[in-house]
Amino acid sequence: MIDFDEAYKKVLQHTFDLGMETVPLTESNGRVLAEDIKADRDFPPFNRSTKDGIALNYAAVEKGTVTFKVEGVLSAGMAQQTLSNGPNCYEIMTGAVVPNAADTVIMYEELTIINGTATISKKPKKGQNIHVKGNDEKLGAILLKKGKRVTAADIGVLASVGKAEVKVRRNPKICVISTGNELVEVSETPLPHQIRKSNTLSLAAALADENISATSLHLLDDQEIIENALEEALQHYDVLLLSGGVSKGKFDFIPDAMEALGVRKVFHKVWQRPGKPFWFGVQEELNTVVFSFPGNPVSTFANYHVYFLPWLTNTLGLPHAEHQVILDEPIQIDPPFVRFVQVTVHWEKASLHARLLKDGGSGDLTSLSKSAGFVLLRPKEEPYQKGELVTFIPTQAII
Amino acid sequence: MIDFDEAYKKVLQHTFDLGMETVPLTESNGRVLAEDIKADRDFPPFNRSTKDGIALNYAAVEKGTVTFKVEGVLSAGMAQQTLSNGPNCYEIMTGAVVPNAADTVIMYEELTIINGTATISKKPKKGQNIHVKGNDEKLGAILLKKGKRVTAADIGVLASVGKAEVKVRRNPKICVISTGNELVEVSETPLPHQIRKSNTLSLAAALADENISATSLHLLDDQEIIENALEEALQHYDVLLLSGGVSKGKFDFIPDAMEALGVRKVFHKVWQRPGKPFWFGVQEELNTVVFSFPGNPVSTFANYHVYFLPWLTNTLGLPHAEHQVILDEPIQIDPPFVRFVQVTVHWEKASLHARLLKDGGSGDLTSLSKSAGFVLLRPKEEPYQKGELVTFIPTQAII
């Protein structure tokens, strides 16, 4: 039995470098960049018109010219032309390349074109309506840094510089394992003493939210079955997430099986509620870490969010964000357990507030659906007060 | 040209019921429930032991008995047994069915078992350590309501009640369409006057974040090509999201093509920046809505988040959440344009603050990557003040 803070620290000490992999651009959303993304050319790559109108040389305007012979029409996607001295102009569309010898664009609203001659009605500013080559970024500039999680906006940047494939941090290969003879498949009708699996499905869905496609496995409470299956799983996966089988029961074979398979127990049992029987270990030769959560759904979900997600964040090299909420009601937390208390959250103006979930016992089937996350409360003498800032561990997207 | 508020209202007036579809449980994460989810049995479905220890009848304890003959061992997944009167007990594991005639569970820590006889060291409370049948939910109770967006936690509930398949609101079928002769594929090396596609890839990634798998299409700036392709797209999709081709240029064929194909223009151009040339229409016979965004990446992204996402939220029957942030610096917004200003955000305690993105011009290649979203600022005489609450439109997950 160890302290929560010690357990948390130990979990984060057992992260490791999973290396990188190359994925198609369209699959890189949500992944973590394993390379700096550089501009492969200047941006914009040419002097680009930002308006529909005419392109001309300002020197002519300066000399008092107001009529310009239209040499042609330039649209986006046409190669660069060269403006002749006439004084001439080109009609030019937004996104088109400004012709050589032109340096100013005047929009249609400020001119008339009759019989191939444009007459301007307002004196332009030199250089107006041109997005100058290299103005945003120069060839070779770093646009996105290694270690950034790719967003939909980043996909546009990656596309712009031709990254049809992107180097990203490899995600851990994860096997989600349930144990227990009482569990049947979702599609089955359970006998009176049976229940359907749910933890592994919840965990797999939570992992999918992290862009990780996990494998699921169910093991009966049989020492040999468990040892054989775990032996294979330890070889094939970077992480095993187990639920159930870690309590004091006669059929809680996991801790012994792990020991037999060379998984070093880092700790078993933490001064926390829910999730006290949490077992954490590492198979150092195989570089496999094992999170063995208690079978209760709330315990599993709490430990997944409290321990596994920060482990994942660290492993992927992402910064860890600790969030806070304002407690809307008092709560007493007596020693010796750190408590993860389910809360709903709401915004008051721009501040995030939390209310304790009523009847959110660890056995309540739907409490995890009703709550937005947990507040992490260390025991202390005085009650936590209404208005107090506390650590918040979201279990779903808040904003 | 219409006001922002009017444009916004008009977009939300053109939502429609897309009906429902049935998906496998594992694909329902993030989707919107189209059915109430009810308990298919009591939860827990039997009197369930919450500890490892022994199950006995409290009446015997009441009479002063402290030793109980162990009849057998009950583990999770075993059918219910009946306790004989001895006074006897059963060893029982967490999750197992409490036997008939037993009503109390005592954990191992509070007893010893020698030669098949358990001796208790502490008087139990009647009924302790039993999670009583139906205590959480009764058969037929509504566990999750129609209209809820499915979370990882909900997946556990759905699994528990045997929903191997789930009825969800149908997502719109969406085609993301780019136009422009200057655009080449991401994998191509553009000529000096060309650029790579990026908007459609960003939009497709943003839609994937909403669990929508969009089709992408690119059209050259040719009236016939555009009309033919749009005619087919209008038939096959519920929503067309276009970028480019809606300005005043000679090759901006979209508005005319739409009219020719029976798409009623609801509005064209809004008093807003960026994204002024936004065109919105509806093909009423085909029930297809068309969001035609200006081609600039920031304009497209702003309009997608400002208009399309609320449209989607409404169409799926989800509540629309309007968020606020605290401005960390003043900004003057002159009439007549409503402005969507890119910001970064950070937390101060439990409050969300926003800073204006420096150099976040609408042409900047990477500004969308740097910003967390837009603040929506209506023009007003006085500057917005530091500390003022303003509407925030996130473009990525914040917490």
Side-chain angles (χ1 to χ4, degrees):
Chain A
M1 196 93 154
I2 67 170
D3 277 350
F4 163 73
D5 289 296
E6 204 186 331
Y8 185 79
K9 208 172 79 182
K10 280 186 188 293
V11 166
L12 292 192
Q13 279 165 355
H14 289 89
T15 57
F16 46 85
D17 188 352
L18 292 165
M20 59 174 80
E21 63 180 333
T22 301
V23 297
L25 174 59
T26 49
E27 289 170 25
S28 68
N29 193 17
R31 302 295 298 274
V32 178
L33 285 177
E35 56 176 335
D36 286 335
I37 302 300
K38 294 180 184 170
D40 68 326
R41 56 203 302 218
D42 285 344
F43 283 92
F46 46 80
N47 290 335
R48 185 183 165 278
S49 178
T50 65
K51 287 283 190 303
D52 303 314
I54 62 169
L56 47 71
N57 189 311
Y58 183 77
V61 177
E62 195 73 307
K63 285 178 201 154
T65 313
V66 294
T67 61
F68 298 82
K69 181 163 176 285
V70 179
E71 277 193 60
V73 180
L74 304 175
S75 62
M78 283 174 70
Q80 189 176 33
Q81 305 296 311
T82 298
L83 186 66
S84 315
N85 201 347
N88 285 6
C89 70
Y90 267 99
E91 279 192 71
I92 191 165
M93 303 303 132
T94 304
V97 186
V98 175
N100 276 318
D103 59 8
T104 300
V105 169
I106 302 175
M107 59 184 186
Y108 280 131
E109 287 85 342
E110 295 168 359
L111 57 90
T112 51
I113 298 179
I114 297 168
N115 294 332
T117 299
T119 305
I120 62 174
S121 54
K122 188 179 162 187
K123 194 181 174 191
K125 280 187 220 159
K126 186 178 178 181
Q128 73 179 25
N129 300 327
I130 295 176
H131 193 183
V132 175
K133 179 175 191 280
N135 187 61
D136 290 349
E137 303 288 351
K138 300 286 181 205
L139 167 69
I142 293 178
L143 305 180
L144 302 173
K145 282 202 176 143
K146 188 155 67 175
K148 184 183 196 304
R149 195 191 277 272
V150 176
T151 64
D154 297 334
I155 296 284
V157 176
L158 291 162
S160 295
V161 300
K163 299 295 297 182
E165 294 193 316
V166 188
K167 283 200 184 78
V168 295
R169 296 291 294 257
R170 182 168 75 76
N171 273 331
K173 281 182 279 186
I174 299 183
C175 190
V176 177
I177 303 172
S178 56
T179 62
N181 292 348
E182 75 276 27
L183 299 179
V184 301
E185 294 296 330
V186 174
S187 56
E188 289 179 58
T189 302
L191 295 170
H193 55 279
Q194 297 177 322
I195 57 175
R196 295 188 186 90
K197 289 178 199 173
S198 65
N199 278 350
T200 46
L201 287 113
S202 266
L203 286 179
L207 288 165
D209 288 340
E210 305 298 324
N211 308 294
I212 295 174
S213 170
T215 304
S216 293
L217 201 62
H218 178 67
L219 305 179
L220 293 176
D221 290 326
D222 174 286
Q223 190 150 11
E224 199 179 325
I225 290 176
I226 287 180
E227 279 198 19
N228 290 342
L230 290 181
E231 185 170 16
E232 203 178 315
L234 285 165
Q235 308 260 359
H236 284 83
Y237 297 94
D238 302 304
V239 179
L240 308 187
L241 295 183
L242 290 96
S243 79
V246 288
S247 293
K248 292 179 66 79
K250 294 211 158 170
F251 306 96
D252 291 337
F253 297 118
I254 301 293
D256 287 350
M258 288 299 173
E259 202 176 324
L261 295 168
V263 184
R264 181 173 63 82
K265 179 183 86 174
V266 176
F267 60 79
H268 185 193
K269 294 181 187 161
V270 184
W271 288 104
Q272 64 183 19
R273 266 192 187 143
K276 185 181 82 168
F278 175 31
W279 189 101
F280 179 74
V282 56
Q283 216 305 0
E284 265 130 357
E285 283 166 44
L286 299 168
N287 251 0
T288 306
V289 294
V290 179
F291 294 78
S292 203
F293 304 135
N296 173 287
V298 180
S299 299
T300 290
F301 217 57
N303 279 323
Y304 170 88
H305 286 90
V306 170
Y307 294 97
F308 172 76
L309 280 188
W311 179 91
L312 179 66
T313 298
N314 261 29
T315 293
L316 293 175
L318 289 168
H320 177 62
E322 187 178 303
H323 296 288
Q324 293 188 300
V325 280
I326 299 165
L327 262 187
D328 264 13
E329 49 196 315
I331 180 172
Q332 174 72 44
I333 303 295
D334 291 319
F337 292 101
V338 165
R339 293 274 307 279
F340 312 130
V341 180
Q342 294 191 70
V343 294
T344 59
V345 294
H346 64 280
W347 293 90
E348 285 181 21
K349 295 175 176 170
S351 295
L352 197 59
H353 287 245
R355 285 193 193 121
L356 310 179
L357 192 68
K358 301 285 172 281
D359 310 317
S362 72
D364 182 353
L365 178 68
T366 57
S367 67
L368 292 170
S369 287
K370 292 173 196 150
S371 68
F374 297 92
V375 288
L376 189 162
L377 302 174
R378 291 180 172 80
K380 60 174 190 173
E381 300 242 327
E382 297 297 307
Y384 285 84
Q385 302 295 333
K386 174 179 156 79
E388 196 162 339
L389 275 172
V390 295
T391 301
F392 174 54
I393 297 159
T395 54
Q396 55 177 271
I398 307 297
I399 170 174
Chain B
M1 195 93 154
I2 67 169
D3 277 349
F4 163 73
D5 289 294
E6 204 186 330
Y8 185 80
K9 208 172 79 184
K10 280 185 188 293
V11 167
L12 293 192
Q13 280 166 354
H14 290 88
T15 57
F16 47 87
D17 188 352
L18 293 165
M20 59 175 80
E21 62 180 333
T22 302
V23 298
L25 174 58
T26 49
E27 289 170 26
S28 68
N29 192 17
R31 302 295 299 272
V32 178
L33 285 176
E35 57 176 336
D36 286 335
I37 302 301
K38 294 179 183 170
D40 67 326
R41 57 204 303 218
D42 286 345
F43 283 93
F46 47 79
N47 289 336
R48 183 183 166 279
S49 177
T50 65
K51 287 282 190 304
D52 304 313
I54 61 170
L56 47 70
N57 189 312
Y58 184 76
V61 177
E62 194 75 307
K63 287 180 201 153
T65 312
V66 294
T67 62
F68 298 82
K69 182 162 175 287
V70 179
E71 278 193 59
V73 180
L74 304 175
S75 63
M78 284 173 70
Q80 189 175 33
Q81 306 295 311
T82 297
L83 186 67
S84 314
N85 202 349
N88 285 4
C89 70
Y90 267 101
E91 280 192 68
I92 191 165
M93 303 303 133
T94 304
V97 187
V98 175
N100 277 319
D103 59 8
T104 300
V105 168
I106 302 175
M107 60 183 185
Y108 280 131
E109 287 84 343
E110 295 169 358
L111 58 91
T112 51
I113 299 179
I114 297 168
N115 294 332
T117 300
T119 305
I120 62 172
S121 54
K122 188 178 164 189
K123 195 182 173 190
K125 281 186 218 158
K126 186 177 177 180
Q128 73 179 23
N129 300 327
I130 294 175
H131 193 184
V132 176
K133 179 176 191 281
N135 186 62
D136 290 350
E137 303 288 351
K138 301 284 183 210
L139 168 68
I142 293 178
L143 305 180
L144 302 172
K145 281 204 176 142
K146 189 156 65 173
K148 184 182 195 304
R149 195 192 275 273
V150 176
T151 64
D154 297 334
I155 296 284
V157 176
L158 291 162
S160 296
V161 300
K163 299 295 298 181
E165 294 193 316
V166 188
K167 283 201 185 78
V168 295
R169 296 291 293 259
R170 182 168 77 75
N171 273 331
K173 281 182 278 185
I174 299 184
C175 190
V176 178
I177 302 172
S178 56
T179 62
N181 291 349
E182 75 276 28
L183 299 179
V184 301
E185 295 296 330
V186 175
S187 56
E188 289 179 60
T189 302
L191 295 170
H193 55 280
Q194 297 176 322
I195 56 175
R196 296 188 185 90
K197 289 178 200 174
S198 65
N199 278 349
T200 47
L201 287 112
S202 265
L203 286 179
L207 288 164
D209 288 341
E210 305 297 324
N211 308 294
I212 295 174
S213 170
T215 304
S216 294
L217 201 63
H218 178 67
L219 305 179
L220 292 176
D221 289 326
D222 174 286
Q223 188 148 11
E224 200 180 324
I225 290 175
I226 287 180
E227 279 199 19
N228 290 343
L230 290 182
E231 184 170 18
E232 203 178 315
L234 286 165
Q235 308 260 358
H236 284 83
Y237 298 94
D238 302 304
V239 179
L240 309 187
L241 295 184
L242 291 98
S243 80
V246 288
S247 294
K248 292 180 67 79
K250 295 212 158 169
F251 307 95
D252 291 337
F253 299 118
I254 302 292
D256 287 349
M258 289 297 173
E259 201 175 325
L261 296 168
V263 184
R264 180 172 63 83
K265 178 183 86 176
V266 176
F267 59 79
H268 184 193
K269 292 181 189 163
V270 185
W271 288 104
Q272 64 183 18
R273 269 194 184 141
K276 185 181 83 168
F278 175 31
W279 189 102
F280 179 74
V282 57
Q283 216 306 358
E284 265 129 358
E285 283 166 46
L286 300 168
N287 251 0
T288 306
V289 294
V290 179
F291 294 78
S292 204
F293 304 135
N296 174 286
V298 179
S299 299
T300 291
F301 217 57
N303 279 323
Y304 170 88
H305 286 90
V306 170
Y307 294 97
F308 172 76
L309 281 187
W311 178 92
L312 179 66
T313 299
N314 261 29
T315 293
L316 293 175
L318 288 168
H320 178 61
E322 188 179 302
H323 296 288
Q324 293 188 301
V325 281
I326 298 165
L327 262 187
D328 264 14
E329 50 195 314
I331 180 172
Q332 173 72 43
I333 303 294
D334 291 319
F337 292 101
V338 165
R339 294 273 306 279
F340 312 129
V341 180
Q342 295 191 72
V343 294
T344 59
V345 294
H346 64 280
W347 294 89
E348 286 181 20
K349 295 174 177 172
S351 296
L352 197 59
H353 288 246
R355 285 193 194 122
L356 309 180
L357 192 69
K358 300 284 170 283
D359 310 317
S362 71
D364 182 353
L365 178 68
T366 58
S367 67
L368 292 170
S369 287
K370 292 174 196 151
S371 68
F374 297 91
V375 288
L376 189 161
L377 302 174
R378 290 179 173 80
K380 60 175 190 174
E381 299 242 326
E382 297 297 305
Y384 285 84
Q385 302 295 331
K386 174 179 157 79
E388 195 161 340
L389 275 172
V390 295
T391 301
F392 175 53
I393 297 159
T395 54
Q396 55 177 273
I398 307 295
I399 170 175

